[in-house]
Amino acid sequence: MNVYRYEQNPLVTPSDVKPHRPDFEVIGAFNAGIAQYKDEVIMLLRVAERPVSEDPEIVKAPVFNVEKNELEILELQLSDERYDFEDPRVIRKAGSEQFVYLTSLSYLRIARSKDGREFTIDPEPFIYPSNDLETFGIEDPRITKIDDTYYIYYSAVSPAGVGESLVSTKDFKNVEHHGMIFAPENKDVLIFPEKVNGKYYALHRPVPKSTGAPEIWIAESPDILHWGNHKYLLGLRDGMWDDGRIGGGAVPIKTEKGWLELYHGATKDNRYCMGAVLLDLNEPSKVIARSETPILEPEADYEVNGFFGNVVFSCGALVEGDTVKMYYGVSDTSMACAELSLSEILASLTEV
Amino acid sequence: MNVYRYEQNPLVTPSDVKPHRPDFEVIGAFNAGIAQYKDEVIMLLRVAERPVSEDPEIVKAPVFNVEKNELEILELQLSDERYDFEDPRVIRKAGSEQFVYLTSLSYLRIARSKDGREFTIDPEPFIYPSNDLETFGIEDPRITKIDDTYYIYYSAVSPAGVGESLVSTKDFKNVEHHGMIFAPENKDVLIFPEKVNGKYYALHRPVPKSTGAPEIWIAESPDILHWGNHKYLLGLRDGMWDDGRIGGGAVPIKTEKGWLELYHGATKDNRYCMGAVLLDLNEPSKVIARSETPILEPEADYEVNGFFGNVVFSCGALVEGDTVKMYYGVSDTSMACAELSLSEILASLTEV
């Protein structure tokens, strides 16, 4: 696979982003949703910020208080044995796999570019936690344009669980909120850019507890707001690059051969790569072909090292002719872009 | 709380049900959905059957094979250290909280009664596993009548997860399948019997993995088939009878004071009781009042002892005037019924 990484990579880093509060520091500007809006490439960044901590013995956890409409900063002692601080991203209850706090608050912020390489970051957050399902933050947006509306959906994180909420905008200024469209636990929703046989389709990635794995499902909708007829679509593959968890990445790309989905797969030890799967054009719940090996894997320094290293994670791509401009988060830290050939990706897939 | 348990309890037991195959035995006839159909009370039983095992060292696991359209019986050695056989209901991977097989196959079967006490059981299954999301069985149905249609929904269990699927019937003979309406992990869906402010509502009970607990959510739908605007509704209460897991029970009952939902709550050590919660009549996502103590708890011998003891678990009730005839599964084994006073339940609730 020929991969052309932009010379400007990483395109946006935490140091490019001014924190939204003086007592916070930006630790991530990554996993951005991508859209073409007028003559601009919009990068809808997930910005992760954390309260600056002077005391290395204290871990601070930001929580949005809905009633007060403000952020509260909890302070936890690193020595407190009720908690497990091993994962830098989350604070777990000791002895549990569940997290009880996050170490940072994520929200969505716009970066704009004329050439898709040099980005200017908006001075203020674009979408900020605003309800009781977002008290731990909002993450990993995707953007699907249908007619003149941009549908933006993201993971909403709260003590009640992680689900997927939807907002829409026509101008990247005014936003309409549509609530949570996929209940916990769910992430990595991708709404198809047009109806197929009279129905909207979406990929989604539940994380079931009692049995099952983080795998990709597909659902149908009459109106983008309500979803049903859930079907199991794509599973993990033992011993391969995607044997730990998978999830949709970019909005499905319509090709003559089918819907091409660029998805992420991680190994059991959390090395995240990008691969592709081809779905039937008229019946997207049918899988036609799939990547045996990744189309992109963490190799560049900025992909290997960072807050959570060895991660390439795309939430959006632009297609121009045969060129796929795949934007992707690197190491839960920054944004990068690589160009790949659409026909080469399609030719690389193995029929299933 | 005055509780009148029928003298005929348990109304249906496993020994009343003829297994659907000669090599199987019925171990449960419980957690039935309830409907009034013409002059009959319909009890839509969850029947659990397991392959008879002559060898105490062998555990058999039934799995429905979709391609062959037949049940396959896997045989596992009790000494096989890859598995954990401690829970009689499931076979877990050793060292994991996830199950990989069930020890029985559940399907749905009709029992009919003129007086609501003496039931005759249909000779054949009514709804049987039929697709790749039901290979481990179907469980715990609920029935909501809207106009002349009975909507029947149940937990569909497969290696991909446990979700909620929907079928409908007008005559309890012909069935239309509508696919899975709540993706894994989800159980205990309850569809309201009429629209509220132009929308259908349902309670549901996700089981999130990374954070969150088995708690009750509410969703909206334009058509019963597709669901959105998910909201967190009702949580666990530390140190109380419902501090382990909760889930909706009977179809919400419309009263002057609000929608009355009879729900089950279990302690952390799996003692299942029934309680009640009152939701706003015009805005069912608002909780008005809730049971401090259960309205029914396992006390009778058939409620305390059985395949999985100390469980009362209602999936349906009939209301006549002030009388609530609450049908309920006991100890994952049999069916019982108790009459309670609607006004007494309402008066017992504590405002929240």
Side-chain angles (χ1 to χ4, degrees), chain A residues 97-99 133 158-162 178-185 204 206-212 217 220-223 225-230 232, chain B residues 97-99 133 158-162 178-185 204 206-212 217 220-223 225-230 232:
Chain A
E97 287 184 19
Q98 288 208 315
F99 70 79
L133 298 180
S158 79
V162 184
H178 304 289
M180 183 169 278
I181 53 168
F182 287 89
E185 181 162 342
H204 61 101
V207 186
K209 186 170 185 188
S210 306
T211 197
W217 288 59
E220 300 173 3
S221 173
D223 58 9
L225 305 181
H226 307 88
W227 295 88
N229 201 12
H230 299 275
Y232 175 83
Chain B
E97 287 185 18
Q98 288 207 316
F99 69 81
L133 298 179
S158 79
V162 183
H178 305 288
M180 183 170 278
I181 54 169
F182 287 88
E185 182 161 340
H204 61 102
V207 187
K209 187 170 183 186
S210 306
T211 198
W217 289 59
E220 300 174 2
S221 173
D223 58 9
L225 306 181
H226 307 88
W227 296 88
N229 202 11
H230 300 276
Y232 176 84

Side-chain angles (χ1 to χ4, degrees), chain B residues 120-192:
Chain B
T120 308
I121 295 153
D122 279 9
E124 300 293 333
F126 177 55
I127 304 173
Y128 197 78
S130 64
N131 62 57
D132 67 339
L133 298 179
E134 302 176 349
T135 57
F136 287 165
I138 59 181
E139 304 178 351
D140 301 353
R142 273 78 166 188
I143 308 172
T144 299
K145 188 185 182 195
I146 298 176
D147 302 326
D148 64 344
T149 302
Y150 294 85
Y151 292 91
I152 301 169
Y153 33 103
Y154 51 78
S155 302
V157 187
S158 79
V162 183
E164 278 266 332
S165 291
L166 175 71
V167 302
S168 63
T169 185
K170 289 180 194 292
D171 54 11
F172 286 96
K173 281 181 195 151
N174 301 294
V175 172
E176 190 179 351
H177 286 257
H178 305 288
M180 183 170 278
I181 54 169
F182 287 88
E185 182 161 340
N186 215 312
K187 278 186 175 181
D188 304 324
V189 168
L190 271 313
I191 299 174
F192 284 58

Side-chain angles (χ1 to χ4, degrees), chain B residues 25-243:
Chain B
E25 59 186 341
V26 174
I27 58 168
F30 62 118
N31 296 2
I34 301 293
Q36 182 79 44
Y37 173 65
K38 295 185 176 167
D39 64 342
E40 289 179 335
V41 175
I42 296 271
M43 203 188 247
L44 186 55
L45 295 163
R46 167 181 172 188
V47 172
E49 297 191 17
R50 73 179 167 200
V52 177
S53 182
E54 281 84 18
D55 184 343
E57 292 307 306
I58 287 178
V59 179
K60 294 183 175 179
V63 181
F64 180 72
N65 183 311
V66 181
E67 275 89 52
K68 295 184 185 166
N69 191 32
E70 66 180 32
L71 214 52
E72 291 182 335
I73 316 296
L74 306 184
E75 300 202 348
L76 306 174
Q77 296 285 338
L78 205 52
S79 57
D80 191 334
E81 291 179 351
R82 291 175 301 172
Y83 301 109
D84 168 356
F85 299 97
E86 198 183 308
D87 188 323
R89 302 168 298 181
V90 300
I91 300 165
R92 293 200 167 84
K93 224 162 134 177
S96 165
E97 287 185 18
Q98 288 207 316
F99 69 81
V100 287
Y101 298 109
L102 302 185
T103 54
S104 62
L105 183 94
S106 289
Y107 62 87
L108 309 186
R109 195 149 154 181
I110 293 173
R112 302 167 191 271
S113 173
K114 300 283 186 203
D115 65 359
R117 296 178 182 231
E118 306 282 347
F119 283 83
T120 308
I121 295 153
D122 279 9
E124 300 293 333
F126 177 55
I127 304 173
Y128 197 78
S130 64
N131 62 57
D132 67 339
L133 298 179
E134 302 176 349
T135 57
F136 287 165
I138 59 181
E139 304 178 351
D140 301 353
R142 273 78 166 188
I143 308 172
T144 299
K145 188 185 182 195
I146 298 176
D147 302 326
D148 64 344
T149 302
Y150 294 85
Y151 292 91
I152 301 169
Y153 33 103
Y154 51 78
S155 302
V157 187
S158 79
V162 183
E164 278 266 332
S165 291
L166 175 71
V167 302
S168 63
T169 185
K170 289 180 194 292
D171 54 11
F172 286 96
K173 281 181 195 151
N174 301 294
V175 172
E176 190 179 351
H177 286 257
H178 305 288
M180 183 170 278
I181 54 169
F182 287 88
E185 182 161 340
N186 215 312
K187 278 186 175 181
D188 304 324
V189 168
L190 271 313
I191 299 174
F192 284 58
E194 59 183 74
K195 282 188 178 180
V196 180
N197 288 322
K199 291 174 230 160
Y200 294 105
Y201 281 85
L203 307 178
H204 61 102
R205 208 287 305 277
V207 187
K209 187 170 183 186
S210 306
T211 198
E215 297 176 320
I216 300 177
W217 289 59
I218 189 165
E220 300 174 2
S221 173
D223 58 9
I224 305 179
L225 306 181
H226 307 88
W227 296 88
N229 202 11
H230 300 276
K231 292 179 180 170
Y232 176 84
L233 184 73
L234 201 70
L236 306 180
R237 295 182 294 187
D238 260 352
M240 293 181 67
W241 59 277
D242 50 4
D243 69 352

Side-chain angles (χ1 to χ4, degrees), chain A residues 239-261:
Chain A
M240 292 180 68
W241 60 276
D242 50 4
D243 70 351
R245 51 178 57 231
I246 56 175
V251 174
I253 299 163
K254 194 177 189 181
T255 76
E256 285 181 4
K257 297 195 172 174
W259 291 100
L260 181 69
E261 172 61 15

Side-chain angles (χ1 to χ4, degrees), chain A residues 171-192:
Chain A
D171 54 11
F172 286 95
K173 282 181 195 150
N174 301 295
V175 172
E176 191 179 349
H177 287 257
H178 304 289
M180 183 169 278
I181 53 168
F182 287 89
E185 181 162 342
N186 215 313
K187 278 187 176 180
D188 303 325
V189 169
L190 271 313
I191 298 174
F192 285 57

Side-chain angles (χ1 to χ4, degrees), chain A residues 14-15 32 35 56 58 100 104 128 143 151 157 203 218 221 250 258 266 299 311 318 324 352:
Chain A
S15 62
I58 287 179
V100 287
S104 62
Y128 197 77
I143 308 173
Y151 292 91
V157 187
L203 306 178
I218 189 165
S221 173
E299 288 169 337
V311 174
L318 298 174
V324 178
V352 294

